[in-house]
Amino acid sequence: MEIRGRVALVTGANRGIGRAFARAFVDSGAKVYAAARQPELITDPDVVPIRLDVTDPDSIAEAAELAADASILVNNAGVALGGPALTASLDNARREMEVNYFGTWAMTQAFAPVLAANGGGAVVNMLSAGSWVALERVSGYTASKSAQWSLSNALRVALRPQGTLVLGVHCWFVDTDLAAAVEEPKIKAEDVARATIEGLLADEEEVLVDEATKRIKASLPNDLKLLYAAK
């Protein structure tokens, strides 16, 4: 699909991958609504900041009305509150589901008619290699990403008749605040944004950004043996 001349709305655009997404779409010739709970933190002069809480139905409705010219929705807003599976706060786990899973669902429901009115366009869901492999120390986060991946597949089928592409973006650790405590190799947020733009231009339905993600996806048929081996 062509990006130049289109209008994109990016959630969680005040930092990290969301900020990189917003910049990449601007550089590709799109008008960009940069959405965040605190839009005053968005400093890029080339985007239109808007206030948005993806867990608040009224906030979502206001964003859909304001961005009525959008043809690309980027569901990037996410949280990772952490905690091992046996001791994690279930309140934190519910928050991760509310933002990462239900937030994506609510935003897509609200913007589906907007995208249809503007020619179909695309929904980009920022997923994770954690969609396929659990990390015990952030069990709630990876569970929410698994749910978001399943939802993305359902939305792809539901939106196809109106000509809306659904692109799932998967990567391993990215050098952002979300992974600040992770002591493993990380890719840059700009790499994620660049791969996503390339995926949209090629009408792809899935983007695997880095080699670690590709290896995890390839291991899925034997995930119990390869991903969860006894140690």
Side-chain angles (χ1 to χ4, degrees):
M1 64 175 289
E2 182 60 49
I3 296 175
R4 184 167 301 278
R6 288 185 178 268
V7 179
L9 183 142
V10 180
T11 69
N14 58 307
R15 61 182 181 174
I17 297 174
R19 182 166 54 198
F21 273 142
R23 188 67 244 172
F25 277 102
V26 168
D27 292 343
S28 298
K31 171 185 173 181
V32 175
Y33 293 104
R37 286 183 298 159
Q38 295 178 286
E40 63 273 13
L41 299 179
I42 297 170
T43 58
D44 190 332
D46 297 324
V47 303
V48 180
I50 65 171
R51 189 175 304 278
L52 172 65
D53 180 345
V54 300
T55 69
D56 181 346
D58 291 337
S59 180
I60 292 172
E62 290 174 7
E65 183 176 353
L66 177 64
D69 52 346
S71 57
I72 301 172
L73 168 65
V74 182
N75 287 311
N76 166 76
V79 295
L81 303 177
L86 296 181
T87 59
S89 162
L90 293 186
D91 286 339
N92 284 350
R94 291 185 184 96
R95 177 65 180 170
E96 288 166 329
M97 280 290 186
E98 283 293 336
V99 176
N100 303 346
Y101 173 57
F102 287 112
T104 292
W105 202 341
M107 285 294 295
T108 305
Q109 284 185 338
F111 273 85
V114 174
L115 302 182
N118 293 315
V123 173
V124 177
N125 288 342
M126 186 62 226
L127 303 171
S128 169
S131 303
W132 304 311
V133 57
L135 291 175
E136 198 269 341
R137 63 183 181 272
V138 287
S139 50
Y141 173 76
T142 53
S144 73
K145 287 298 179 177
S146 292
Q148 191 185 20
W149 174 56
S150 179
L151 173 65
S152 298
N153 294 331
L155 293 173
R156 183 173 294 115
V157 175
L159 291 172
R160 195 171 284 148
Q162 71 173 42
T164 299
L165 173 73
V166 175
L167 171 62
V169 181
H170 298 263
C171 60
W172 203 220
F173 296 115
V174 183
D175 190 12
T176 65
D177 293 345
L178 199 70
V182 175
E183 296 181 356
E184 293 189 32
K186 304 173 190 177
I187 61 173
K188 295 180 179 179
E190 290 77 13
D191 296 334
V192 179
R194 186 181 308 110
T196 301
I197 294 294
E198 292 172 356
L200 283 173
L201 290 172
D203 293 326
E204 299 288 351
E205 294 187 333
E206 183 176 78
V207 167
L208 309 181
V209 179
D210 56 303
E211 291 304 315
T213 298
K214 293 174 185 177
R215 289 195 299 271
I216 290 169
K217 179 70 182 292
S219 74
L220 285 181
N222 301 297
D223 61 347
L224 292 180
K225 293 181 179 180
L226 297 181
L227 299 178
Y228 306 114
K231 297 181 180 179

